[in-house]
């Protein structure tokens, strides 16, 4: 109790999924249970052992990707109490550690915690939410942001040329890039068949550059009404075309629907960097 019995406004605490796992629950609370037609039953998977197309990643060092994955893992390796120091304030832009990103009150929750950071332009960064533990976190995230921004611009150039447009067409169309990042943490789930790690959605921006743990099959993309696992290859980033590209190209590029299944045994980390067009207020 605070002095004199006066309670001061406290920092928010995150209702993290991880806390349930630490308690050792064997059945998941109702708010995580999807109606039967929305469950990601294993029988719905289409096994797919080959990667259809791989684009060599240009100009992004594998060591930087590894460093990014390592600081993400190290942050989620901290105790829940330590992570709470970065808890996101409820509001429109919820930078920080959280568990209910853009979810309506009463909606079924995903089996996922995260830390969400705004990266570009630099003016939108709020370093209060950038963990100081592990000590390399801030430097690695900064470098990763700069390099993935360059890569995203090159990809936009390739997308433009593929449409017979000048190379700078899409980059100019977005005026100023707006870049943000999630580090998603999917704790092991005692009843993965009843819930989802991340329910089916498409990303809202231009392009998402997704770093996953090598070998993970938890991510699936929808292709011709089939869900296909995307196996994370070593040293690879997955590029998701997102809604703004579909809109700006009148549907010639399609925004990809994707989802993540929960896993009974292993936790999983994924790190998407979202490269979007900024709203006018940012330039
Ligand atoms: O965890 C993943 O692989 C995907 C995450 C995702 O789709 C997102 O953060 O928008
Ligand atoms: Fe996504």
């Amino acid at each position: 109790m605070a002095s004199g019995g006066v309670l001061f406004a406290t920092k928010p605490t995150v209702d993290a999924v991880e806390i349930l796992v630490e308690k050792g629950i064997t059945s998941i609370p109702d708010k995580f249970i999807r109606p039967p037609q929305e469950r990601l039953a294993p029988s719905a998977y289409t096994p797919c052992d080959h990667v259809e197309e791989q684009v060599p990643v240009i100009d992004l060092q594998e060591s930087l990707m590894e460093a990014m994955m390592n600081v993400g893992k190290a942050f989620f390796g901290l105790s829940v109490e330590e992570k709470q120091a970065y808890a996101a304030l409820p509001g429109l832009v919820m930078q920080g550690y959280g568990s209910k990103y853009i979810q309506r009150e009463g909606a079924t929750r995903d089996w996922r915690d995260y830390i969400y950071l705004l990266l570009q332009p630099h003016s939108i960064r709020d370093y209060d939410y950038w963990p100081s533990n592990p000590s390399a976190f801030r430097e690695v995230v900064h470098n990763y942001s700069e390099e993935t921004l360059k890569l995203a611009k090159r990809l936009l150039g390739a997308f433009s040329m593929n449409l017979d447009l000048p190379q700078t067409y899409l980059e100019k169309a977005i005026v100023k890039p707006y870049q943000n990042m999630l580090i998603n943490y999917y704790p092991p789930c005692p009843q993965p068949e009843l819930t989802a790690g991340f329910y089916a959605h498409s990303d809202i921006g231009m392009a998402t550059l997704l770093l996953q743990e090598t070998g993970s099959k938890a991510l699936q993309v929808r292709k011709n009404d089939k869900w296909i696992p995307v196996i994370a290859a070593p040293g690879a980033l997955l590029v998701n075309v997102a809604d703004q590209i579909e809109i700006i190209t009148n549907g010639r590029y399609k925004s990809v629907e994707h989802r993540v299944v929960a896993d009974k045994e292993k936790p999983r980390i994924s790190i998407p960097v979202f490269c979007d067009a900024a709203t006018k207020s940012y330039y």
Side-chain angles (χ1 to χ4, degrees):
M1 174 69 76
S3 60
V6 180
L7 284 174
F8 294 99
T10 48
K11 273 195 69 80
T13 36
V14 175
D15 189 8
V17 176
E18 194 185 352
I19 298 172
L20 298 172
V21 178
E22 281 182 352
K23 284 187 188 147
I25 57 158
T26 51
S27 51
I28 65 175
D30 287 352
K31 62 186 171 208
F32 291 95
I33 300 181
R34 299 220 155 251
Q37 69 278 14
E38 290 185 3
R39 292 185 195 159
L40 315 187
S43 59
Y45 305 169
T46 309
C48 169
D49 291 331
H50 64 283
V51 179
E52 278 186 33
E53 280 170 57
Q54 293 209 28
V55 182
V57 169
I58 6 144
D59 288 352
L60 188 66
Q61 289 170 356
E62 217 167 313
S63 58
L64 183 55
M65 294 198 271
E66 257 173 54
M68 185 60 242
M69 185 50 83
N70 286 341
V71 294
K73 276 190 184 160
F75 175 69
F76 277 98
L78 301 177
S79 68
V80 173
E81 288 68 38
E82 283 171 281
K83 287 184 292 241
Q84 295 286 10
Y86 303 97
L89 282 171
L92 204 58
V93 182
M94 298 163 290
Q95 279 196 83
Y97 173 55
S99 195
K100 281 190 273 192
Y101 181 62
I102 323 188
Q103 281 202 344
R104 278 168 292 110
E105 211 44 55
T108 308
R109 279 185 61 183
D110 286 339
W111 197 260
R112 175 182 70 109
D113 299 327
Y114 62 82
I115 182 163
Y116 177 59
L117 300 174
L118 300 182
L119 302 179
Q120 303 273 359
H122 291 182
S123 56
I124 62 175
R125 294 182 179 183
D126 186 341
Y127 290 109
D128 286 350
Y129 292 105
W130 291 43
S132 51
N133 187 5
S135 56
F137 188 98
R138 294 177 184 194
E139 190 188 343
V140 171
V141 171
H142 169 77
N143 292 340
Y144 194 73
S145 162
E146 300 294 297
E147 294 306 317
T148 48
L149 187 63
K150 284 188 216 155
L151 181 57
K153 285 181 181 173
R154 291 190 67 171
L155 284 168
L156 290 183
F159 289 161
S160 305
M161 289 189 337
N162 194 35
L163 295 172
D164 287 331
L165 293 166
Q167 189 173 349
T168 53
Y169 188 89
L170 286 172
E171 195 185 328
K172 281 191 180 149
I174 66 173
V175 186
K176 269 246 160 100
Y178 178 87
Q179 191 200 50
N180 47 104
M181 160 192 272
L182 274 172
I183 305 178
N184 292 310
Y185 175 67
Y186 303 91
C189 178
Q191 294 177 299
E193 64 287 357
L194 298 183
T195 189
F198 203 141
Y199 193 60
H201 67 284
S202 60
D203 297 340
I204 58 173
M206 292 290 275
T208 304
L209 305 181
L210 180 79
L211 178 60
Q212 317 183 56
E213 285 184 83
T214 305
S216 168
K217 292 185 189 174
L219 174 69
Q220 303 178 343
V221 294
R222 198 210 282 266
K223 190 178 175 195
N224 302 331
D225 278 332
K226 286 195 171 138
W227 287 101
I228 300 176
V230 180
I231 301 162
L237 287 175
L238 178 76
V239 180
N240 279 341
V241 169
D243 297 348
Q244 287 172 350
I245 291 236
E246 177 166 333
I247 293 163
I248 221 168
T249 65
N250 285 331
R252 287 179 68 190
Y253 278 105
K254 297 263 181 287
S255 176
V256 64
E257 200 179 348
H258 53 287
R259 66 185 192 182
V260 178
V261 294
D263 190 285
K264 194 159 186 150
E265 311 296 336
K266 288 190 305 288
R268 173 172 178 266
I269 300 250
S270 74
I271 309 182
V273 167
F274 305 98
C275 301
D276 306 350
T279 59
K280 268 227 146 61
S281 49
Y282 290 105
Y283 52 91

